[in-house]
Amino acid sequence: MLPPLFQDWFARRGWQPRDHQLALLDHAAGGRNVLLVAPTGGGKTLAGFLPSLVELAQRPRQGRRLHTLYISPLKALAVDVARNLEAPVAEMGLAVKVEARTGDTPAARRQRQRHAPPDILLTTPEQLALLVAHPCADRLFAGLKTVVLDELHALYNSKRGDLLALGLARLSTLAPGHRRVGLSATVKDPAPLRRYLMTQTGGDDALSDLVIAKGGAAPDIAISASESHVPWSGHLARHAMADVMAAIHASRTALVFVNTRSQAERTFQELWTINDDNLPIALHHGSLAPEQRRKVEAAMTRGDLRAAVCTSTLDLGIDWGAVDRVICIGAPKGAARLVQRIGRANHRLDESSAALLVPANRFEVLECHAARDAVLAGELDGERLKTGALDVLAQHVLGTAVAAPFDADALFAEVRGAAPYARLARPDFDAVVDFVATGGYALRRYDRYARLRKTPEGKYRLAHPRIAQDWRLNAGVIVEDPMVDIRLQSRGRPAGSGGRRLGQLEEYFIEQLAPGDTFVFAGDVLRFEGLREDAAYVTRTTDPQAQIPSYNGGKFPLSTFLAQRVREMVSRPQSWSDLPEPVHEWLRIQEWRSVIPKPGQLLVETFPRAKRHYLVCYPFEGRLAHQTLGMLLTRRLERLKLHPIGFVANEYALAIWAAHDMSGADMDALFDEDMLGDDLDAWLAESNLYKRTFRNCAIIAGLIQRRFPGKEKSGRQVTFSSDLIYDVLREHEPDHVLLRATYADAGEGLLDIARLGDMLARVRKRIVTRRLERVSPLAVPALLEISREMVAGAVDEAILRESEDALVRDAMRVD
């Protein structure tokens, strides 16, 4: 029952409490864990906090401890929710203190929060890991009653989700009476999230209660596509920038989503060039300085902006009432991600959210149509569930020792309470503890890897006090390449003489620059003046040829669900009439010149061109899986003495070129699943991508440290250290915990081996081959990517255009 004070507050706002908000009050009264699944704009966040506010309103302020812990996947979301909570607290006159704690929070405030915490603390998984590893954690969390996990669908099935689950397991020991509330957007299967909320004991597979809110209004999703011109390849959608600007003009405030930081910089520049009316348009992505991001967020809150070009940094939960349209540049890569982004518009359950999808090329037109149809039909992507990562567990084990000496039996039982680790075997746990304590069999002779010692009572303690500081500096599971600060200074001042911090760029990009080079960052064209210590100094300039920095951050993979829908759309000619005429014609000529594969088939085309021979296949399984497939196929083609020269992969296709005709190869044998055996093992032994995966696991597990007091290792230093250790472990301890963690990562991460295996099994004995005299229409986008890789530099744009025109003419000829 909602107390009168709260009923009056809802009435003054002109609101009625929604059924799911009242339902969470009932679950709180019963002390039960619960998952709320609700569409965007359904008042999920208020529902999660309402029981805490009601309970706190009935308690005296004096002597209160931390009552509610809110955990968000985004720092910006934690700050935004803290700000939004202030309204009901102030308007009802509640004596409730609300604060946020993120990596951007000043150190003095973070220290004070440990000793004098607020009633409600809003934070992130990384900050929770640091808090539970503090020696005073038992005192901080002694009075904890509620943990609210926002946007749980975005966290639970990832390494950050593993880290959070281990933190929750620790809270079960520190605050055994607390209850958990999960808040999630609509998901295909809520069971894994319900399981995540529970403390799993004895493998009982416990599930939390479930509340499903009523659905809202269907979104209004438009797709921008010209009837006269749709690009064959590319990801920037330059051809559609006028349409995007027109959509911004027609909106009160628009969020312009892109999939990468480099796309964000380029799109902002393209829009600014045609912003003849000087509309206030901002840029927001993760490499910008926190101060700049907060400035943009504040302007959005005030309604001062007409548009913000952004990446996934603004994907989740943030409520800006002025936003009435979402514009997605490029294909969404997943139906669930599209739903999430569309929900940023209007943010009200009873009103349609307006969205404009802007495909950058012909394949993306297909993907956008498939995603829109899936969303309107209420169908979402499923996810392959992962088990808890061993490198994350290693970090948690050491963090537990940072707080206090631990008993291995007790910690094992605690860890098994976390859903991702519910079926963790004791030998695997013991191997992780041994690794943390000694480095493992192959490394135990080196004192630097001895981080734990046993006490006379049989507990594990830190081997040296400095290990605690090292752990705190390196905690977390988001591994980025080494970064360099970008500082803006006045012209004429020598590099290194101060300057405002614009943000950070990857070290490898800065190392390629010479003084005088220009690049685009933070919405400006910048001239590189020099590198001093850990900062690159720049000045503003103008240069239409300025380069766009490339980032090693993850690109969204095409989801398995959406890939299947695209394959089905391509295989149904009756659905092509809904597509723009250039795309419709493209598929019709492909059907006439070659073949349109059925959903369960794999089309493999071979043809000669320009004294080379090509093999192009169309798995539609995403760039990562295609790159791994390309590596393995070229090894096999080399053994067949067909002399493969190279390959290129995009989200939809893989193209290999060779010195000899590949059409005579036995395609069933070439694409057999056994390539994931010896061929895979041999390739992994020498793969730079696999070594990079190992490096990330070694950093997360704490074997390699990037940060030290007052300094940070360079990228070369980290790579050199990890490569040395990798070679030692492969030779002397191939079953080492980190190598096992690396292989597990490779299945889902940079190499996507698991998805490749599923594809090979699906197409077994269902490969359709076509030996063609010339390039097919479907192969054009992949071959254009080959051209761009072979011909680099702005001076060659004319050559590229001529090559593209010739390629398209050959492919689309119907004689």
Side-chain angles (χ1 to χ4, degrees):
M1 181 68 180
L2 198 61
L5 175 65
F6 289 80
Q7 292 180 21
D8 292 345
W9 178 76
F10 272 93
R12 288 197 303 273
R13 288 253 175 162
W15 296 347
Q16 283 286 337
R18 297 188 185 275
D19 291 344
H20 57 269
Q21 293 172 332
L22 297 175
L24 259 61
L25 281 171
D26 294 337
H27 284 81
R32 302 191 301 276
N33 296 345
V34 61
L35 173 69
L36 170 61
V37 176
T40 299
K44 288 194 298 290
T45 305
L46 180 57
F49 281 109
L50 200 54
S52 295
L53 293 175
V54 168
E55 187 172 341
L56 286 166
Q58 297 168 350
R59 289 187 176 188
R61 179 72 184 89
Q62 188 175 1
R64 287 207 308 239
R65 297 179 175 181
L66 176 62
H67 179 282
T68 296
L69 185 68
Y70 164 94
I71 299 171
S72 153
L74 294 179
K75 293 185 288 186
L77 181 55
V79 172
D80 180 71
V81 170
R83 183 178 60 246
N84 289 340
L85 263 183
E86 291 171 358
V89 167
E91 291 167 8
M92 286 187 280
L94 303 179
V96 175
K97 190 175 183 181
V98 180
E99 289 185 353
R101 178 191 179 95
T102 72
D104 298 336
T105 303
R109 186 183 305 168
R110 294 203 303 268
Q111 184 176 4
R112 190 261 301 156
Q113 287 170 342
R114 287 196 299 268
H115 302 290
D119 299 299
I120 299 176
L121 182 65
L122 300 96
T123 190
T124 61
E126 291 74 21
Q127 288 296 315
L128 175 62
L130 290 167
L131 287 171
V132 298
H134 196 275
C136 298
D138 53 348
R139 186 167 68 247
L140 172 64
F141 294 111
L144 184 69
K145 302 300 181 185
T146 302
V147 177
V148 179
L149 307 174
D150 203 357
E151 306 290 358
L152 186 56
H153 61 282
L155 272 176
Y156 79 102
N157 199 32
S158 66
K159 285 197 175 185
R160 293 186 79 204
D162 294 344
L163 184 70
L164 175 57
L166 291 167
L168 293 174
R170 192 83 192 105
L171 286 178
S172 293
T173 300
L174 298 171
H178 80 272
R179 68 181 192 90
R180 299 171 188 168
V181 179
L183 307 177
S184 172
T186 305
V187 290
K188 184 175 183 179
D189 180 13
L193 285 77
R194 297 173 66 192
R195 195 174 296 116
Y196 187 94
L197 288 170
M198 301 298 289
T199 298
Q200 304 295 327
T201 56
D204 58 1
D205 210 26
L207 298 176
S208 74
D209 290 355
L210 175 65
V211 173
I212 299 180
K214 295 178 182 177
D220 176 12
I221 308 173
I223 299 175
S224 168
S226 168
E227 289 296 327
S228 60
H229 173 68
V230 180
W232 289 86
S233 64
H235 302 284
L236 297 177
R238 290 177 178 170
H239 71 290
M241 284 300 118
D243 292 343
V244 174
M245 184 57 77
I248 292 173
H249 270 281
S251 309
R252 188 166 63 248
T253 302
L255 285 179
V256 183
F257 279 109
V258 296
N259 290 333
T260 67
R261 287 171 286 176
S262 57
Q263 277 182 294
E265 293 282 357
R266 177 69 77 184
T267 300
F268 180 82
Q269 291 295 320
E270 295 280 348
L271 290 175
W272 199 252
T273 300
I274 60 174
N275 186 14
D276 297 332
D277 294 330
N278 288 320
L279 299 181
I281 301 175
L283 176 66
H284 192 290
H285 62 71
S287 287
L288 300 180
E291 302 80 17
Q292 178 63 21
R293 297 199 303 269
R294 299 294 93 81
K295 183 178 178 181
V296 173
E297 292 158 15
M300 290 291 291
T301 301
R302 295 191 303 269
D304 293 345
L305 297 177
R306 293 295 300 276
V309 179
C310 55
T311 60
S312 58
T313 50
L314 297 184
D315 257 3
L316 302 173
I318 298 175
D319 182 5
W320 287 311
V323 175
D324 60 342
R325 188 185 307 274
V326 163
I327 302 169
C328 297
I329 307 291
K333 305 305 173 191
R337 180 174 296 108
L338 179 57
V339 168
Q340 189 73 51
R341 289 184 166 179
I342 289 174
R344 300 307 100 218
N346 280 334
H347 221 267
R348 287 179 287 276
L349 189 64
D350 303 323
E351 297 182 18
S352 291
S353 297
L356 174 66
L357 309 187
V358 185
N361 58 58
R362 296 183 179 216
F363 273 122
E364 286 195 350
V365 170
L366 302 177
E367 190 181 331
C368 286
H369 277 263
R372 181 190 63 181
D373 294 348
V375 169
L376 295 179
E379 299 177 16
L380 297 176
D381 318 85
E383 287 190 271
R384 184 195 304 271
L385 291 179
K386 61 182 286 298
T387 56
L390 296 181
D391 52 339
V392 180
L393 177 58
Q395 183 180 124
H396 178 73
V397 167
L398 186 57
T400 304
V402 168
F406 67 84
D407 175 79
D409 292 337
L411 182 59
F412 175 63
E414 180 181 289
V415 165
R416 292 249 300 182
Y421 297 91
R423 288 171 174 76
L424 177 70
R426 183 60 191 256
D428 291 335
F429 174 80
D430 290 339
V432 170
V433 172
D434 180 64
F435 157 69
V436 176
T438 68
Y441 168 76
L443 301 175
R444 69 176 65 244
R445 72 186 68 178
Y446 303 104
D447 289 343
R448 62 190 292 188
Y449 301 120
R451 293 178 287 172
L452 298 180
R453 293 276 190 265
K454 268 198 171 184
T455 68
E457 298 78 24
K459 292 186 175 182
Y460 285 93
R461 64 165 178 82
L462 294 181
H464 193 281
R466 73 168 184 279
I467 294 172
Q469 182 183 28
D470 293 342
W471 182 88
R472 292 188 185 101
L473 286 172
N474 291 277
V477 297
I478 300 175
V479 180
E480 294 181 328
D481 280 8
M483 308 293 282
V484 175
D485 280 351
I486 307 299
R487 292 194 173 274
L488 180 67
Q489 63 180 31
S490 302
R491 276 190 172 275
R493 298 184 65 182
S497 55
R500 179 167 63 89
R501 182 172 177 266
L502 299 179
Q504 292 185 314
L505 282 174
E506 272 87 344
E507 177 186 80
Y508 81 93
F509 174 77
I510 296 299
E511 288 179 342
Q512 299 172 25
L513 300 177
D517 287 350
T518 59
F519 62 96
V520 174
F521 182 66
D524 279 320
V525 178
L526 305 173
R527 183 181 189 273
F528 178 62
E529 302 295 345
L531 183 66
R532 295 291 185 277
E533 296 177 352
D534 61 346
Y537 290 86
V538 298
T539 54
R540 285 195 177 97
T541 188
T542 55
D543 182 1
Q545 303 300 326
Q547 51 185 314
I548 299 289
S550 57
Y551 300 84
N552 278 338
K555 297 178 180 178
F556 295 127
L558 177 65
S559 74
T560 302
F561 165 79
L562 199 52
Q564 175 64 20
R565 288 196 69 114
V566 173
R567 285 193 295 267
E568 291 172 353
M569 175 183 290
V570 170
S571 71
R572 293 196 313 269
Q574 63 269 27
S575 68
W576 299 350
S577 58
D578 296 333
L579 302 173
E581 178 54 32
V583 179
H584 190 176
E585 179 191 33
W586 173 50
L587 295 177
R588 283 201 315 268
I589 296 178
Q590 169 69 23
E591 184 180 35
W592 182 78
R593 288 269 331 280
S594 177
V595 69
I596 295 292
K598 293 182 172 58
Q601 296 176 335
L602 175 66
L603 172 61
V604 179
E605 298 174 328
T606 57
F607 50 85
R609 183 172 182 81
K611 300 181 180 179
R612 287 194 175 93
H613 297 270
Y614 291 85
L615 180 154
V616 184
C617 60
Y618 308 91
F620 289 85
E621 291 294 349
R623 185 183 300 269
L624 298 179
H626 294 170
Q627 286 176 335
T628 299
L629 177 62
M631 291 288 189
L632 298 175
L633 286 179
T634 51
R635 292 180 71 89
R636 292 192 157 190
L637 292 168
E638 189 64 48
R639 285 205 302 274
L640 294 173
K641 302 189 184 311
L642 294 174
H643 302 297
I645 299 169
F647 73 88
V648 69
N650 59 28
E651 295 284 358
Y652 318 98
L654 166 69
I656 299 173
W657 60 100
H660 298 304
D661 185 359
M662 294 173 278
S663 62
D666 182 341
M667 295 300 170
D668 285 325
L670 192 64
F671 285 85
D672 194 275
E673 293 172 82
D674 63 9
M675 74 167 63
L676 299 181
D678 292 343
D679 280 330
L680 177 62
D681 290 340
W683 174 57
L684 291 181
E686 60 193 41
S687 165
N688 286 329
L689 278 177
Y690 195 68
K691 288 184 176 180
R692 180 179 168 190
T693 303
F694 173 82
R695 183 179 75 236
N696 292 347
C697 289
I699 289 171
I700 291 171
L703 188 68
I704 295 173
Q705 295 171 350
R706 294 171 297 171
R707 302 183 189 94
F708 298 88
K711 62 179 180 179
E712 186 167 340
K713 275 187 178 181
S714 69
R716 286 195 182 93
Q717 289 171 324
V718 171
T719 300
F720 180 74
S721 299
S722 67
D723 285 355
L724 282 177
I725 296 172
Y726 174 81
D727 292 338
V728 168
L729 295 183
R730 277 195 66 94
E731 181 175 354
H732 298 289
E733 196 178 355
D735 195 39
H736 191 277
V737 163
L738 283 190
L739 291 180
R740 289 157 56 194
T742 302
Y743 191 83
D745 261 20
E748 303 290 342
L750 289 172
L751 307 180
D752 220 352
I753 294 169
R755 186 166 174 182
L756 174 58
D758 290 346
M759 186 276 291
L760 294 174
R762 186 185 73 244
V763 304
R764 187 170 182 269
K765 302 298 183 184
R766 302 198 68 188
I767 296 176
V768 178
T769 60
R770 286 294 183 271
R771 184 174 183 174
L772 306 175
E773 295 180 356
R774 63 181 189 271
V775 60
S776 73
L778 217 56
V780 169
L783 263 66
L784 287 175
E785 294 205 28
I786 294 174
S787 298
R788 283 179 167 79
E789 288 200 0
M790 289 181 172
V791 183
V795 296
D796 299 308
E797 283 297 323
I799 298 174
L800 283 173
R801 282 195 297 272
E802 183 178 338
S803 173
E804 176 175 338
D805 291 345
L807 184 66
V808 170
R809 283 196 302 270
D810 280 354
M812 300 295 282
R813 278 195 350 247
V814 293
D815 54 4

